[in-house]
Amino acid sequence: MPNPLADALTISKSTDSCKRFAELEDGNVVTYAEFFDGARQIASLITSCGIKPGDRVAVMVEKSIAVLQTYLGSVMSGAAFLPLNPAYTDSEVRFFLQDASPSLFICDPARQDTLSTSAKSEGVRDVLTLDANGSGSLKNRIHYARRDCDPVPRSYDDLAAILYTSGTTGRPKGAMLSHGSLVSNAATLKSLWRFTKSDVLLHALPVHHTHGLFVATNVALMAGCSLLYFQKFDAEKIVRALARATVMMGVPTFYTRLLKREEISKSELSNMRLFISGSAPLRTETHREWERRTGHRILERYGMTEANMIASIPYDGPRKPGTVGIPLPGVQTRICDPETGRIVPEGEIGMLEVRGSGMFSGYWNMPDKTRREHREGGFFMTGDLARVDEDSFLAIEGRAKDLIISGGMNIYPKEVEAVIDDVPGILESAVFAAPHEDFGEGVVAAVVADSEVEVTEREIRDHIAANLAKYKHPKHIAFRKFLPRNSMGKVQKTMLRDEHGTVFASC
Ligand code: AMP
């Protein structure tokens, strides 16, 4: 009987079980056979805890191989895997436990005392522990569990996982992902990016997010390739490991941090065949500088928790900086007026809408919200502003909620950011709105300048004046040491708005 996702992720089980699945930072190796055995034991344990197909298994622990085994074990047991960022505070965790009502909760032993109380009061049946080294009550309990149980049958439409979206505004939403959506997306990416079992993927992404879990891990397991598995991104360690990898999947900050290392050069990376970037915009300068130093053009892809991966630069052909390529096979996109839903003329900016085989099945417990975010015909409104360029490549122009309307005029932050970033000595910028008595919203720019170059506000303003219409000019420019980013490298504009949002209060 099939269990589509477990079947796809264990496809290499009978070919070469002694093959290495992952090499850890301490040099220890986990073979495919060991990896699958551990996952099967966790599946047996989950079933023996009385957890039924469709029940949620919430996991909030540091990254380790055991987390991936818990993921696969949950899928094998028919449960829905629900990974949570271990950085969440106790009160944030309470929300997730309340909302998702998991039957099993796995947390770090150091937080067991406080979190067990919340879990019990939210009706969680069992609480287990797991630390970054794989120790904890989960390990103790699986010691005697069976390794030979078959995966619980599931259909393509059945729930395999719930991932909460980062929720920069409002409450987090649990995106429900089915077996079918995860299998089809990973299969597409594996073939598009030409993964084979000879690949060695450098994995330094968090595994509570779609990028590290469903893109990196699912594709690697489906291809039967090996991982160089890092708990987190540490440029010094990653530079050394790249010499033994063939592919790296990263967020843009991986690339900007690596560029600061002298060792990044063509000769050091001669075995690499592919560098992939996603989850946040990759700056054109980063793309160009990476190519200059390494000879590799980064392949950018675009996606989101709800839709899995939506578009990718094709493997062959031009890798145009500033674009995210074309929709994946099986994915349809269109660019619409956010208000009316009408398709905008070619080349114009509008809201990107998407439908296809990788889509989520809705927001957990939020049928109305799910309905509101879809249009007739099943198109999901991504909340991203985009346009299609002259080569039919998609370019992401920012989040719709970041659109600034000043004096009735629409201002796209990315356009202003691109002009500011052009000023010599400016490393990066973020443009956002602050309430303005006259204009409704006023443009504010937060800029980060190279500490070794003196850049004045006047220089920035002169450059903006030469390139942008007056209504797009920032009314305030704030110099900062860095831009606040989350673990996926996304600039946290909400934090910037909180910090600089009252600049016009006295105007
Ligand atoms: P998440 O659900 O956390 O993966 O966030 C998805 C969001 O990240 C998308 O809606 C985009 O706003 C952004 N994003 C993902 N990939 C890219 C990319 N290649 N370029 C620009 N933004 C991206």
Side-chain angles (χ1 to χ4, degrees):
M1 291 287 274
N3 177 313
L5 185 55
D7 297 346
L9 300 182
T10 54
I11 190 107
S12 59
K13 66 177 183 287
S14 50
T15 48
D16 183 7
S17 58
C18 293
K19 184 183 159 80
R20 73 172 47 189
F21 168 59
E23 182 182 316
L24 314 183
E25 281 179 56
D26 59 10
N28 277 335
V29 167
V30 180
T31 65
Y32 264 95
E34 289 163 339
F35 180 72
F36 290 146
D37 276 353
R40 277 189 216 101
Q41 286 182 298
I42 293 174
S44 301
L45 173 67
I46 292 175
T47 306
S48 71
C49 289
I51 286 151
K52 305 211 173 38
D55 285 355
R56 275 76 55 214
V57 171
V59 178
M60 194 182 77
V61 296
E62 295 300 329
K63 183 177 175 182
S64 68
I65 283 292
V67 185
L68 298 187
Q69 288 172 314
T70 310
Y71 160 52
L72 181 55
S74 303
V75 173
M76 286 172 164
S77 76
F81 183 67
L82 196 169
L84 294 169
N85 187 341
Y88 284 133
T89 62
D90 294 352
S91 71
E92 285 168 319
V93 179
R94 260 197 303 280
F95 165 79
F96 293 113
L97 296 177
Q98 213 167 52
D99 193 54
S101 55
S103 303
L104 175 63
F105 178 48
I106 304 175
C107 67
D108 195 280
R111 297 182 69 183
Q112 183 184 16
D113 286 349
T114 30
L115 293 179
S116 286
T117 316
S118 310
K120 288 278 146 63
S121 67
E122 296 306 337
V124 176
R125 190 192 293 240
D126 241 314
V127 177
L128 295 173
T129 61
L130 175 65
D131 72 11
N133 301 314
S135 301
S137 58
L138 175 76
K139 187 174 178 190
N140 305 338
R141 293 265 297 269
I142 61 168
H143 200 65
Y144 300 102
R146 291 176 51 186
R147 293 160 191 232
D148 59 352
C149 59
D150 287 327
V152 172
R154 301 262 74 198
S155 78
Y156 278 85
D157 290 337
D158 281 331
L159 187 61
I162 297 178
L163 242 62
Y164 277 86
T165 57
S166 18
T168 43
T169 51
R171 53 159 279 201
K173 298 163 284 183
M176 299 191 283
L177 296 149
S178 68
H179 280 247
S181 70
L182 296 175
V183 170
S184 85
N185 209 247
T188 303
L189 298 176
K190 176 188 153 236
S191 97
L192 208 66
W193 297 337
R194 311 217 178 138
F195 267 83
T196 69
K197 59 182 183 183
S198 319
D199 274 311
V200 179
L201 173 67
L202 195 148
H203 192 311
L205 293 159
V207 289
H208 53 77
H209 185 267
T210 184
H211 198 167
L213 189 63
F214 300 142
V215 184
T217 308
N218 284 2
V219 168
L221 283 168
M222 280 176 85
C225 74
S226 302
L227 300 177
L228 296 175
Y229 195 70
F230 288 83
Q231 201 155 25
K232 59 181 182 354
F233 182 85
D234 173 333
E236 194 183 333
K237 290 182 185 168
I238 300 301
V239 167
R240 271 186 265 128
L242 278 173
R244 293 186 298 123
T246 62
V247 184
M248 181 174 89
M249 290 186 193
V251 293
T253 30
F254 282 19
Y255 294 97
T256 49
R257 287 190 199 161
L258 285 171
L259 280 170
K260 295 196 178 121
R261 309 282 316 186
E262 278 171 12
E263 306 95 307
I264 288 294
S265 66
K266 284 190 183 125
S267 56
E268 289 294 315
L269 303 177
S270 55
N271 53 315
M272 287 293 293
R273 70 169 182 87
L274 185 59
F275 287 98
I276 301 172
S277 174
S279 290
L282 180 74
R283 294 174 68 216
T284 301
E285 290 96 282
T286 311
H287 183 104
R288 298 231 161 95
E289 184 59 8
W290 191 263
E291 183 181 10
R292 193 184 68 74
R293 293 267 296 277
T294 71
H296 286 276
R297 291 174 78 88
I298 299 170
L299 183 151
E300 200 169 348
R301 60 80 186 149
Y302 158 78
M304 60 197 309
T305 305
E306 290 92 331
N308 282 299
M309 294 309 105
I310 296 169
S312 167
I313 297 278
Y315 195 87
D316 292 320
R319 294 189 184 167
K320 285 176 72 179
T323 70
V324 295
I326 53 175
L328 302 186
V331 174
Q332 288 163 272
T333 56
R334 62 184 194 188
I335 313 260
C336 298
D337 181 309
E339 300 301 321
T340 63
R342 250 181 255 126
I343 294 181
V344 301
E346 225 174 285
E348 279 189 18
I349 297 176
M351 162 93 76
L352 182 72
E353 300 188 356
V354 56
R355 73 175 176 195
S357 47
M359 295 303 296
F360 72 137
S361 328
Y363 291 116
W364 175 259
N365 271 345
M366 297 174 102
D368 291 343
K369 178 90 185 153
T370 304
R371 248 191 317 276
R372 281 200 303 276
E373 309 235 333
H374 284 84
R375 296 224 193 254
E376 235 169 80
F379 277 93
F380 171 66
M381 293 181 265
T382 60
D384 286 321
L385 296 169
R387 71 185 161 81
V388 176
D389 79 359
E390 57 290 355
D391 297 321
S392 304
F393 275 30
L394 279 170
I396 306 299
E397 300 293 337
R399 298 286 297 162
K401 67 175 168 35
D402 292 335
L403 177 75
I404 304 167
I405 305 177
S406 187
M409 305 295 279
N410 284 359
I411 299 161
Y412 299 101
K414 197 176 164 198
E415 188 189 5
V416 186
E417 287 160 6
V419 170
I420 297 176
D421 291 351
D422 242 12
V423 176
I426 291 294
L427 297 178
E428 55 180 355
S429 62
V431 165
F432 52 95
H436 191 287
E437 207 174 289
D438 252 3
F439 299 108
E441 289 182 332
V443 177
V444 179
V447 302
V448 179
D450 187 335
S451 56
E452 284 164 22
V453 183
E454 206 191 312
V455 190
T456 62
E457 181 167 341
R458 175 69 10 236
E459 283 166 331
I460 300 173
R461 290 202 175 278
D462 286 349
H463 188 68
I464 292 172
N467 288 283
L468 292 174
K470 187 126 196 295
Y471 71 93
K472 299 178 189 173
H473 293 192
K475 304 220 170 339
H476 177 71
I477 296 180
F479 281 83
R480 298 176 56 96
K481 287 211 166 60
F482 60 89
L483 297 179
R485 291 180 188 276
N486 69 9
S487 61
M488 299 311 293
K490 295 183 213 291
V491 175
Q492 301 294 281
K493 289 199 175 174
T494 317
M495 287 174 79
L496 289 173
R497 275 190 283 264
D498 287 349
E499 224 173 296
H500 304 284
T502 53
V503 283
F504 306 126
S506 55
C507 295

